């Protein structure tokens, strides 16, 4: 059986590609405290029988991004898009799993800093990228 040029090219590309971002079995759980005092009580284990409600933002998420690739993360509100991006940029950390970064990662579009509502999303990205 003869290998076509396309099959050979695909094989070479997958062998030579370097992983830039690797997300493996990542889980992120947020505890939902009703009052700030509950956070202190929980942290000091003063009432271990009292269970604090939890929100599972991410559960067993895995993917790889290869050098030179561009990805988009889409989903409904509350599906964990911002959470995974915050973990990739090390703003927050996973409860379980690993995130490995080979190279430099920075957030180009963050709604809380440097976002100009007069610009489109693309214009904000170009503007923020020009600063780097």
């Amino acid at each position: 059986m003869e290998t076509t040029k396309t099959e050979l090219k695909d094989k070479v590309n997958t062998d030579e590609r370097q992983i830039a971002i690797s997300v493996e079995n990542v889980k992120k759980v947020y505890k939902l405290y009703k009052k700030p005092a509950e956070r202190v009580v929980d942290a000091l284990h003063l009432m271990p029988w009292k269970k604090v409600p939890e929100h599972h933002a991410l559960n067993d998420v895995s993917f790889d991004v290869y050098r030179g690739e561009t990805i988009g993360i889409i989903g409904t509100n509350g599906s964990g898009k911002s959470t995974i991006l915050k973990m990739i940029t090390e703003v927050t950390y996973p409860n379980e799993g690993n995130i490995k970064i080979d190279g430099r990662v920075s957030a180009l579009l963050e709604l809380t800093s440097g976002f100009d509502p007069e610009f489109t999303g693309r214009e904000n990205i170009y503007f923020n990228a020009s600063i780097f």
Side-chain angles (χ1 to χ4, degrees):
M1 181 195 257
E2 190 174 322
T3 304
T4 65
K5 286 182 182 179
T6 305
E7 290 172 337
L8 186 58
K9 182 179 175 185
D10 289 342
K11 184 177 188 308
V12 169
N13 285 342
T14 56
D15 290 344
E16 292 178 1
R17 297 191 314 173
Q18 293 179 334
I19 295 176
I21 301 170
S22 178
V23 176
E24 301 171 347
N25 306 315
V26 167
K27 180 178 184 179
K28 183 65 176 177
V29 179
Y30 291 102
K31 291 187 176 185
L32 305 175
Y33 300 103
K34 292 180 183 175
K35 302 177 205 170
E38 287 183 1
R39 183 181 305 272
V40 175
V41 169
D42 187 45
L44 296 175
H45 305 290
L46 298 177
M47 291 192 274
W49 63 89
K50 186 175 180 180
K51 298 294 180 193
V52 178
E54 297 179 337
H55 172 68
H56 293 260
L58 297 171
N59 194 11
D60 196 30
V61 174
S62 298
F63 62 88
D64 292 327
V65 179
Y66 292 90
R67 193 167 305 282
E69 278 187 334
T70 303
I71 64 164
I73 300 174
I74 59 173
T76 58
N77 289 345
S79 62
K81 302 177 300 292
S82 294
T83 302
I84 193 70
L85 292 174
K86 286 178 183 177
M87 287 192 288
I88 290 171
T89 57
E90 297 182 334
V91 171
T92 187
Y93 299 95
N95 297 99
E96 293 179 17
N98 295 307
I99 297 177
K100 297 174 188 166
I101 307 294
D102 182 17
R104 197 177 92 182
V105 174
S106 55
L108 294 179
L109 182 59
E110 179 64 43
L111 295 177
T112 58
S113 64
F115 180 79
D116 188 337
E118 297 291 320
F119 293 162
T120 65
R122 183 182 300 262
E123 289 169 335
N124 273 291
I125 290 170
Y126 286 136
F127 177 74
N128 284 307
S130 68
I131 295 170
F132 292 108

